[in-house]
Amino acid sequence: MLGRLNHVAIAVPDLAAASAVYRDTLGATLTEPQALPEHGVTVVFINTGNTKIELLEPLGQGSPIAAFLEKNPSGGMHHICYEVDDILAARDRLKAAGARVLGDGNPKIGAHGKPVLFLHPKDFLGTLVELEQV
Amino acid sequence: MLGRLNHVAIAVPDLAAASAVYRDTLGATLTEPQALPEHGVTVVFINTGNTKIELLEPLGQGSPIAAFLEKNPSGGMHHICYEVDDILAARDRLKAAGARVLGDGNPKIGAHGKPVLFLHPKDFLGTLVELEQV
């Protein structure tokens, strides 16, 4: 079931400063910041050739990464996203195994325009896991 | 400078239980556990096709992941590893940019038998970054 690692998301308090770290210090190539108000984040992508890093800054009220940044004010790895072929089949398999799917259990359209689900970190080694159908 | 994402390491308190989550719940294919006493960890690799997940369990006294697991008893994402072509050139560039290299600043031989360095999380968005020369 588990496919490719689609991205690792790093939540940051200041996207411009974070972009400078990856661009100037680490020598990475970044996309322009993209505001995603429906997801409560502004995002910059770093293509590492084989996968992506997403830098996420909170946008607006009630951002889904606000609580994480309160606990981790310098930022940190927020979630990891794996690709699956069939997100409904994956969800049903996970639920049958006793894993908790966040929200109402129905896929939403994620930051890449594809169906996504998030899984409870307590069921996955303390790691927030996103599944994306590709 | 920044190359491919070599792996994401997830520290776990119980490698057998963590392996079961990835194998049975997520349907991943795992390697057999490998004890690396010189690194203070036992490791299982998950190949996602484009990169790897490393599950790390403490081994012996003074494991480098022991403090992390005290703070995160269920486990969590511990570090991210990027590939570089020339680790000494990378180190010198990073130090010139003001970033802190952990330890004595000299590469050590990592879990994959290649030279590695770790960078201070406070200089990299709250994320422990490993560089591996490939």
Side-chain angles (χ1 to χ4, degrees), chain B residues 2-67:
Chain B
L2 196 75
R4 288 159 49 100
L5 191 159
N6 186 276
H7 64 268
V8 177
I10 300 177
V12 302
D14 179 335
L15 194 55
S19 297
V21 168
Y22 266 84
R23 185 182 57 237
D24 303 336
T25 310
L26 286 170
T29 304
L30 284 67
T31 61
E32 289 297 311
Q34 185 181 358
L36 301 171
E38 69 279 23
H39 294 284
V41 293
T42 304
V43 62
V44 160
F45 296 102
I46 298 156
N47 188 335
T48 65
N50 57 336
T51 186
K52 294 189 293 287
I53 302 293
E54 286 186 11
L55 303 179
L56 304 175
E57 181 189 64
L59 176 63
Q61 297 299 310
S63 170
I65 62 170

Side-chain angles (χ1 to χ4, degrees), chain A residues 44-62:
Chain A
V44 160
F45 297 102
I46 298 156
N47 188 334
T48 66
N50 57 337
T51 186
K52 293 189 294 288
I53 303 293
E54 286 186 11
L55 304 178
L56 303 176
E57 180 190 65
L59 176 63
Q61 297 298 310

Side-chain angles (χ1 to χ4, degrees), chain A residues 1-5 8 18 21-22 24-28 48 50-51 53 74-77 79-80 82 93-94 124-126, chain B residues 1-5 8 18 21-22 24-28 48 50-51 53 74-76 79-80 82 93-94 124-126:
Chain A
M1 181 182 100
L2 196 74
R4 288 160 47 100
L5 191 160
V8 177
V21 167
Y22 266 84
D24 304 335
T25 309
L26 287 170
T48 66
N50 57 337
T51 186
I53 303 293
S74 309
M77 286 188 274
H79 69 263
I80 190 165
Y82 297 113
R93 173 180 168 149
L94 289 163
F124 294 94
L125 321 174
Chain B
M1 181 182 101
L2 196 75
R4 288 159 49 100
L5 191 159
V8 177
V21 168
Y22 266 84
D24 303 336
T25 310
L26 286 170
T48 65
N50 57 336
T51 186
I53 302 293
S74 309
H79 69 263
I80 190 165
Y82 297 113
R93 173 182 168 147
L94 289 163
F124 293 94
L125 321 175

